[in-house]
Amino acid sequence: MRCSPDVPWQALAIQEVTRQYWAGTWQESDWTWGSPWRLVAPDGRPADSGEVIEADRPNRLVIFWRDELHEDLLTCHG
């Protein structure tokens, strides 16, 4: 199914849409360069967080993120 490039951006920005397709989670950000970004779990806890690195609506979105629910994923084992 094809859609316009703006549809994915709308899906990120409209919490009701995001909750339908992301297992009840939603995202919080204003989607501009340097702004914070959070993925919020259904119980209200931050699941992931980070910041917007690049935002060129509707062509490109780059974010830095870290997993907030699984600390063991953040640890480097060597």
Side-chain angles (χ1 to χ4, degrees):
M1 181 174 159
R2 293 188 163 260
C3 63
S4 75
D6 203 48
V7 170
W9 280 87
Q10 292 172 6
L12 292 172
I14 301 170
Q15 290 184 5
E16 295 77 23
V17 175
T18 305
R19 286 179 186 188
Q20 281 184 304
Y21 297 101
W22 287 56
T25 64
W26 68 92
Q27 301 188 54
E28 297 176 343
S29 182
D30 67 8
W31 306 110
T32 59
W33 176 83
S35 66
W37 164 83
R38 289 187 343 149
L39 179 68
V40 182
D43 64 5
R45 293 179 299 156
D48 295 323
S49 65
E51 83 176 69
V52 176
I53 303 298
E54 185 179 344
D56 178 21
R57 184 179 183 155
N59 302 307
R60 185 172 168 86
L61 176 64
V62 179
I63 59 171
F64 165 81
W65 85 87
R66 65 191 153 274
D67 188 310
E68 299 287 348
L69 296 178
H70 305 97
E71 258 185 62
D72 55 320
L73 295 178
L74 300 175
T75 305
C76 182
H77 301 283

